[in-house]
């Protein structure tokens, strides 16, 4: 497990209840857990081994592990060998990354790296899992790819006990259309105006958001719609974004709080409480560790005058399209349902191919909004009733009758049927990834600096930026502190509880220090999502536990060139004791409180 701390986060892109319990069960049945993290996180503490890498170095570590697997003839693709291409290319791509070549940049000795690779290859089953700490980095996409490559080369792709694919009940691209065919991934169909950064899957990088607002010229962003996001706390160089938002002509937000971002909005549409909404988790159930389907009905009714969030969004879409504020949100809702039904009847591999769209729409009545769309997607999905074609198949009615969810069984091997690649094969070395390895190779020659690198961390009691206005969650010891290794603390003269001044190219902040050996020397950790109490916000509890905004330090010029993703971990910073100027003009270091 690299760059993930499920004891705090309960997992990410690997959805299951009780991750800690699962890890404990894994160890109880004789399994071994190795955690790769610059911090000895709670998960690392529960693990058999903690590998304290330098931030940002995961792709080097992973490439070296793949290298060892090839070099020692340990490659075994298992059952996927008959439909995998690119193995020889991978061997060539990782050739320069010997354990000896990467040990300085990874900060872990070559012997340990080679042993990890051998252990992994020798295990009867194993899974490599990398998350936020590995992806929000300069070579984040390569790190994710190398995780997959390592799983494949050790025979763990698509086998029970290894890394498997969910068969989701709703919305899965890998159960739609023809098996073993798909479109290639295209990056860079559009480019951002100011820096010319390419889009990925239609999205432009968040690292160019502020400059698109504050750089004059044709195409400058002057209006902004923010839906359930708090980018002033969650995105790099948020000081610049904060100022850019203040300078916009117009901003709309849909949010439950008047916070650091929504304070810039001209109009805020409040969303009803989570308890007043129906819920089906389309996104995270694509990555379930078991096939399940869950629908929650609203627990509480809407108050008079309250509007469902989807209606707010539909109305905004209508206004933006010129239809005006009085237009009926049903127009958008019907358009969505109609579009989905038509694509379902057009799918020659689907269960309703060739049927009359109006007949299916009639069968979905009287539901509307998300409930209708979920019912439709369930019924044409891999477990669906196919609108009568499959007796006992899933419908939303069946989920409503099963408030604890429907268990669709453990994950089962899905290859090659689940492949949606252009070649119909597992493509181990797709061109954009293979090309990016040159950038990683070049970085191997960079001198390994000795300055501080800043990483984040998550806390069980916090959720990104927005759980800090709830007293029971923020009471007790402060959560927004900077972890600092005792050796670094001694060298800098910073005691536990003292205030440190942390600076980067983009900003500076003062934060209380927590001296702890649960972090690698040379690395400091500050959680993101804090920095409350700004003028114009209305979150009284959060303001009393304000903390600092770590993303003032994250640099919008640092991003993964392949994906455009922001670098949020491994940010170069300077750390010093906070110096205050006293009335006699002399400088004094702050003392521990
Ligand atoms: N309680 C709680 N749960 C959450 C969230 C929350 O804020 N609070 N957020 C949710 C969200 S949006 C997400 S995406 C998931 C994220 O879930 P996880 O991916 O588990 O994320 P974190 O808990 O932040 O763990 C990231 C770990 O990466 C480490 N790290 C930092 N830099 C590096 C590096 O360069 N290499 C390696 N190997 N490790 C590094 C950090 O020290 C940290 O321990 O959690 C979700 N769950
Ligand atoms: N330094 C650093 N930065 C990070 C990360 C990191 O690990 N380190 N993690 C990154 C990750 S993984 C993520 S996902 C992003 C998250 O970044 P954001 O999505 O920008 O941040 P959140 O704090 O999750 O913002 C959620 C917003 O939704 C609002 N909200 C809550 N419930 C509702 C609702 O029902 N309806 C509506 N409309 N609004 C609601 C909240 O009030 C809040 O304003 O942050 C990223 N930023
Ligand atoms: Mo996230």
């Amino acid at each position: 497990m690299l760059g993930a701390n499920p004891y705090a986060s309960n997992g990410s892109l690997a959805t299951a209840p009780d991750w800690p319990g699962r890890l404990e069960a894994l160890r109880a049945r004789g399994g071994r857990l190795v955690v790769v993290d610059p911090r000895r996180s709670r998960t690392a503490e529960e693990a058999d081994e903690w590998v304290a890498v330098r931030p940002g170095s995961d792709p080097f570590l992973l490439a070296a592990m793949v290298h060892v697997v090839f070099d020692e003839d340990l490659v075994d693709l298992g059952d996927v060998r008959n439909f995998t291409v690119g193995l020889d290319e991978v061997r060539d791509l990782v050739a320069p990354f010997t354990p000896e070549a990467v040990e300085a940049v990874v900060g872990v000795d070559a012997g340990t790296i080679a042993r990890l690779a051998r252990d992994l290859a020798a295990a009867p089953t194993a899974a490599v899992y990398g998350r936020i700490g590995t992806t929000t980095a300069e070579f984040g996409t390569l790190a994710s790819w190398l995780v997959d490559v390592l799983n494949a080369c050790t025979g763990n792709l698509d086998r029970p006990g290894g890394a498997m694919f969910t068969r989701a009940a709703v919305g899965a691209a890998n159960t739609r259309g023809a098996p073993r065919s798909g479109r290639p991934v295209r990056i860079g169909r559009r480019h951002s105006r100011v820096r010319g950064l390419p889009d990925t899957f239609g999205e432009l990088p968040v690292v160019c958001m502020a400059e698109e607002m504050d750089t004059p010229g044709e195409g400058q962003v002057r209006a902004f719609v923010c839906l359930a996001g708090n980018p002033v706390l969650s995105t790099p160089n948020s000081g610049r974004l904060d100022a850019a938002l203040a300078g916009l002509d117009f901003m709309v937000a849909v949010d439950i709080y008047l916070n650091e971002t929504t304070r810039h909005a001209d109009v805020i549409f409040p969303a009803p409480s989570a308890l007043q909404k129906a819920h089906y988790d389309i996104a995270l159930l694509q990555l379930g560790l078991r096939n399940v389907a869950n629908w929650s009905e609203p627990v509480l009714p809407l108050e008079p005058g309250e509007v469902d969030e989807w209606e707010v969004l539909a109305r905004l879409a209508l206004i933006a399209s010129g239809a005006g504020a009085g237009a009926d949100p049903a127009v958008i809702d019907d358009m969505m349902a109609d579009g989905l039904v038509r694509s379902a009847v057009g799918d020659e591999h689907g269960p309703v191919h060739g049927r009359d769209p109006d007949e299916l729409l009639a069968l979905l009545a009287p539901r509307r909004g998300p409930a209708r769309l979920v019912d439709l997607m369930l019924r044409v999905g891999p477990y669906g009733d196919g609108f009568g074609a499959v007796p006992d198949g899933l419908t939303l009615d069946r989920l409503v009758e099963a408030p604890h969810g429907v268990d669709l069984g453990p994950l089962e091997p899905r290859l090659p049927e689940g492949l949606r690649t252009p070649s119909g094969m597992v493509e181990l070395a797709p061109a954009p990834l293979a090309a990016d390895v040159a950038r990683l190779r070049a970085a191997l020659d960079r001198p390994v600096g000795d300055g501080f690198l800043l990483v984040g961390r998550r806390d069980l009691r916090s959720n990104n930026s927005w759980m800090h206005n709830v007293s029971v969650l923020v009471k007790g010891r402060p959560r927004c502190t900077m972890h600092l290794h005792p050796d670094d603390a001694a060298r800098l003269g910073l005691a536990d509880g003292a205030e440190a001044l942390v600076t980067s190219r983009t900003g500076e902040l003062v934060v209380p220090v927590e001296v702890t050996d649960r972090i690698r020397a040379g690395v400091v950790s500050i959680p993101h999502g804090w920095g409350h109490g700004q003028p114009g916000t209305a979150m009284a509890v959060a303001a009393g536990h304000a903390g600092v905004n770590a993303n003032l330090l994250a640099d919008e010029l640092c991003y993964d060139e392949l994906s455009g993703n922001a670098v949020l971990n491994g940010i170069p910073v300077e750390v010093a004791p906070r110096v205050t100027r006293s009335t006699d003009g002399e400088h004094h270091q702050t003392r521990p409180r």
Side-chain angles (χ1 to χ4, degrees):
M1 178 174 295
L2 307 97
N5 182 17
Y7 272 80
S9 68
N10 198 50
S12 166
L13 305 193
T15 309
D18 190 20
W19 254 89
R22 281 165 185 261
L23 291 176
E24 278 147 33
L26 178 153
R27 296 193 62 221
R29 60 178 186 261
R32 226 171 102 67
L33 173 64
V34 178
V35 171
V36 177
D37 197 309
R39 296 187 313 115
R40 195 171 77 240
S41 63
R42 176 74 203 286
T43 308
E45 255 163 21
E46 301 293 332
D48 295 275
E49 186 173 353
W50 170 42
V51 181
V53 288
R54 293 184 65 252
S57 70
D58 302 83
F60 299 98
L61 168 70
L62 291 160
M65 289 176 69
V66 177
H67 174 95
V68 170
V69 171
F70 276 102
D71 194 48
E72 303 190 1
D73 241 347
L74 304 173
V75 176
D76 170 14
L77 291 174
D79 290 345
V80 303
R81 79 171 65 78
N82 297 326
F83 37 86
T84 297
V85 292
L87 192 65
D88 292 336
E89 221 180 323
V90 168
R91 176 201 308 263
D92 294 343
L93 287 169
V94 299
F97 300 91
T98 63
E100 291 72 22
V102 304
E103 70 178 344
V105 58
V106 178
V108 173
D109 68 273
T112 301
I113 296 172
R115 176 178 54 78
L116 289 172
R118 286 179 202 126
D119 285 356
L120 184 72
T125 59
V128 185
Y129 169 74
R131 281 307 302 142
I132 279 293
T134 59
T135 54
T136 50
E138 192 185 353
F139 302 103
T141 311
L142 283 186
S144 297
W145 168 64
L146 287 162
V147 165
D148 295 338
V149 166
L150 205 43
N151 278 319
C153 291
T154 54
N156 287 302
L157 184 64
D158 199 41
R159 84 166 161 199
M164 301 186 74
F165 295 94
T166 312
R167 193 163 174 261
V170 163
N174 62 21
T175 53
R176 258 200 310 271
R180 303 193 70 174
S181 82
R183 268 178 276 157
V185 170
R186 280 173 60 194
I187 299 172
R189 267 185 254 205
R190 298 187 297 139
H191 290 82
S192 71
R193 176 181 62 106
V194 178
R195 235 189 297 173
L197 298 186
D199 81 301
T200 309
F201 298 110
E203 294 183 19
L204 288 171
V206 83
V207 292
C208 62
M209 191 150 71
E211 70 201 21
E212 292 297 328
M213 295 174 180
D214 68 18
T215 311
E218 174 81 22
Q220 181 182 6
V221 172
R222 301 305 306 141
F224 184 55
V225 181
C226 189
L227 311 174
N230 191 359
V232 168
L233 298 190
S234 59
T235 65
N237 196 352
S238 41
R240 181 174 179 182
L241 181 67
D242 197 27
L245 292 179
L248 289 174
D249 293 339
F250 185 62
M251 174 173 164
V252 178
V254 183
D255 207 284
I256 57 172
Y257 282 120
L258 182 47
N259 64 22
E260 300 72 22
T261 297
T262 61
R263 69 180 171 134
H264 295 299
D266 298 275
V267 184
I268 307 174
F269 293 100
S273 145
L275 296 177
Q276 295 168 297
K277 289 185 232 180
H279 188 65
Y280 187 99
D281 199 326
I282 293 180
L284 293 178
L285 285 179
Q286 305 299 325
L287 301 143
L289 298 190
R290 203 176 161 89
N291 297 314
V292 292
N294 259 293
W295 170 265
S296 325
E297 293 275 58
V299 179
L300 301 173
L302 293 174
E303 302 285 332
E306 272 186 327
V307 182
D308 234 331
E309 191 161 357
W310 72 265
E311 288 194 33
V312 173
L313 301 179
R315 278 177 192 276
L316 282 174
L318 285 164
I319 293 167
S321 67
D328 185 353
V331 171
I332 295 278
D333 185 29
D334 290 345
M335 211 171 81
M336 293 284 296
D338 200 63
L340 282 178
V341 166
R342 276 172 207 284
S343 101
V345 299
D347 178 358
E348 57 179 305
H349 301 273
V352 292
H353 181 238
R355 285 181 59 182
D356 174 13
D358 291 328
E359 178 215 344
L360 303 192
L361 283 168
L363 288 169
L364 293 166
R367 284 200 172 95
R368 54 191 217 113
R372 172 167 60 167
L373 302 181
V374 169
D375 191 24
L376 166 61
M377 290 192 284
L378 268 173
R379 296 174 80 167
V380 299
Y383 310 90
D385 81 335
F387 288 87
V390 183
D392 298 332
L394 278 191
T395 60
L396 187 52
D397 283 340
R398 269 197 61 200
L399 291 197
V400 171
E401 284 161 23
H404 302 294
V406 173
D407 183 6
L408 302 167
L411 304 192
E412 282 168 10
R414 286 207 50 203
L415 298 187
E417 153 275 318
L419 288 168
R420 292 296 183 277
T421 52
S423 62
M425 306 287 272
V426 176
E427 298 176 4
L428 274 189
L433 289 156
D436 203 37
V437 174
R439 200 166 58 93
L440 188 71
R441 173 67 193 80
L444 200 51
D445 298 332
R446 295 197 297 225
V448 176
D450 58 1
F452 281 104
L453 294 174
L454 171 70
V455 302
R457 64 178 187 271
R458 278 177 167 71
D459 187 283
L460 192 57
R461 286 221 233 147
S462 164
N463 194 1
N464 295 330
S465 75
W466 63 281
M467 295 292 242
H468 305 152
N469 205 45
V470 182
S471 314
V472 289
L473 296 177
V474 287
K475 69 176 188 208
R477 65 177 171 80
R479 309 275 156 162
C480 187
T481 59
M482 183 176 80
H483 287 181
L484 180 71
H485 189 273
D487 294 349
D488 293 327
R491 187 160 50 83
L492 294 171
L494 271 165
D496 196 58
E499 292 197 312
L501 174 69
V502 190
T503 41
S504 76
R505 186 192 72 85
T506 59
E508 62 173 52
L509 49 80
V510 172
V511 61
V513 164
E514 203 176 321
V515 178
T516 169
D517 69 358
R518 296 191 314 265
I519 192 158
R520 187 188 156 94
V523 181
V524 289
S525 166
I526 306 175
H528 73 286
W530 300 83
H532 305 296
Q534 302 295 320
T537 61
M539 299 173 73
V541 175
H545 303 264
V548 294
N549 177 4
N551 281 322
L552 292 171
L553 302 171
D555 191 333
E556 83 275 28
L557 300 185
C558 300
Y559 61 96
D560 176 6
E561 281 178 28
L562 184 53
S563 64
N565 200 36
V567 172
L568 301 171
N569 281 289
I571 298 153
V573 291
E574 279 167 35
V575 179
R578 180 195 194 180
V579 173
T580 51
R581 196 187 290 267
S582 66
T583 41
D584 58 11
E586 268 188 65
H587 286 77
H588 294 284
Q589 244 173 252
T590 49
R591 293 283 153 223
R593 287 178 305 188

